Amino acid sequence: MNTKRKKLYEGKAKILYEGPEPGTLIQYFKDDATAFNGEKKAQLEGKGVINNRISEFVMSRLNGIGVTNHFIKRLNLREQLIREVEIIPLEVVCRNIVAGSLATRLGQEEGTPLPRSIIEFYYKKDELNDPMVTEEHITAFNWASTQEIDDILATTVRVNDYLSGMFGAVGIQLVDFKIEFGRIWENDFARVILADEISPDSCRLWDMATGEKLDKDRFRRDLGNVIESYAEVARRLGIMKDMPTVIQGGLH
């Protein structure tokens, strides 16, 4: 990693650096693992490498079906070249099965299939614990327009359909996922596109046969074998052959 590059932003799991050309950024995937808005932290060696590769795999395929996103290409084990976007301050969560905060918030049993997918919006503000918001809040505070919300909802449905099929084909249940969006400007016109990452950090993924968790809940709930589970997702997607062996002892 070139330490002379200008750092623009550092989040819990990634760092954004100035890109080689205007309108581009370099996204670096860290090994840091956090939960509960950063209250729980750890270093999981190899996590960034796996998430970089899985997110590349997913974003490339979404681009291929017309779901425009910020991914341009993977540069190395931990970095991607991406388009610079104006991030909309919302986390968009799509739920197919009751899990996580939905179970605790509404007193529902985890694992209960939902009659239809539910899409929720959360305001991206760590100091407020990312509160859930409605479309009325979003438009009232000018975080996104009504048209942008419609575009976000339509894209989220498409992403859900595609990911459900992709993971289902390799025996993994897509329980829920979190995505983010950003604006790209073309002259005076802004278009909303998918941004951030899609990986076991941002999806709940359960083994269809056993119900075993293959995602960040292994870290949240102290279940162990976090890296092995992430690597299992990559293996089933057929992309481990392009990566060094990743185990908790490091990269080999």
Side-chain angles (χ1 to χ4, degrees):
M1 186 176 62
N2 181 358
T3 55
K4 294 181 181 178
R5 287 191 310 227
K6 182 180 179 183
K7 183 195 292 188
L8 302 177
Y9 170 82
E10 181 164 2
K12 299 186 194 80
K14 295 182 294 295
I15 303 173
L16 294 179
Y17 293 97
E18 201 170 49
E21 298 172 0
T24 67
L25 299 173
I26 292 172
Q27 180 169 255
Y28 176 89
F29 286 75
K30 303 194 292 184
D31 283 341
D32 298 43
T34 65
F36 315 118
N37 275 326
E39 290 178 18
K40 181 177 183 180
K41 299 177 183 179
Q43 282 270 320
L44 301 174
E45 190 171 358
K47 181 176 82 73
V49 173
I50 301 174
N51 282 350
N52 181 25
R53 189 64 183 87
I54 291 175
S55 196
E56 173 206 9
F57 180 87
V58 176
M59 291 294 198
S60 297
R61 276 148 185 78
L62 288 172
N63 265 326
I65 65 165
V67 177
T68 307
N69 58 70
H70 71 169
F71 177 80
I72 299 173
K73 65 179 180 179
R74 179 167 59 89
L75 299 174
N76 51 49
L77 285 176
R78 292 184 179 274
E79 295 179 330
Q80 297 178 356
L81 182 66
I82 60 173
R83 284 195 268 185
E84 184 175 12
V85 301
E86 177 190 321
I87 284 290
I88 293 171
L90 298 171
E91 294 184 347
V92 183
V93 175
C94 183
R95 302 181 184 275
N96 301 309
I97 293 172
V98 174
S101 66
L102 185 63
T104 55
R105 194 169 71 236
L106 301 181
Q108 301 295 313
E109 184 178 354
E110 185 163 271
T112 304
L114 293 165
R116 61 176 180 82
S117 300
I118 294 174
I119 298 175
E120 301 171 337
F121 295 104
Y122 295 83
Y123 179 41
K124 274 176 60 71
K125 204 76 169 174
D126 282 349
E127 55 267 41
L128 301 176
N129 292 319
D130 301 333
M132 182 188 282
V133 293
T134 66
E135 293 182 30
E136 285 80 5
H137 294 113
I138 294 167
T139 54
F141 293 108
N142 202 30
W143 297 327
S145 68
T146 301
Q147 182 59 58
E148 287 174 333
I149 293 171
D150 288 345
D151 292 344
I152 287 169
L153 289 169
T155 300
T156 302
V157 169
R158 288 198 69 197
V159 171
N160 188 41
D161 288 345
Y162 184 81
L163 294 187
S164 294
M166 182 191 77
F167 284 120
V170 294
I172 296 174
Q173 178 80 57
L174 178 66
V175 175
D176 58 35
F177 62 92
K178 182 270 293 182
I179 50 179
E180 297 182 21
F181 291 85
R183 297 181 187 92
I184 53 172
W185 292 87
E186 295 160 347
N187 299 318
D188 293 330
F189 177 71
R191 185 157 59 103
V192 171
I193 67 170
L194 184 63
D196 197 42
E197 69 174 297
I198 297 178
S199 73
D201 265 10
S202 60
C203 303
R204 279 194 174 89
L205 304 169
W206 295 354
D207 183 273
M208 280 183 168
T210 66
E212 181 184 3
K213 293 174 173 57
L214 302 172
D215 55 69
K216 191 175 174 180
D217 272 349
R218 300 202 69 86
F219 173 69
R220 291 187 189 99
R221 303 184 185 189
D222 296 317
L223 299 175
N225 296 327
V226 180
I227 295 301
E228 287 85 349
S229 295
Y230 281 36
E232 174 63 13
V233 173
R235 186 192 68 77
R236 292 197 197 184
L237 292 174
I239 55 181
M240 281 300 287
K241 62 183 179 297
D242 297 330
M243 299 191 334
T245 301
V246 182
I247 59 172
Q248 282 189 311
L251 303 177
H252 301 272

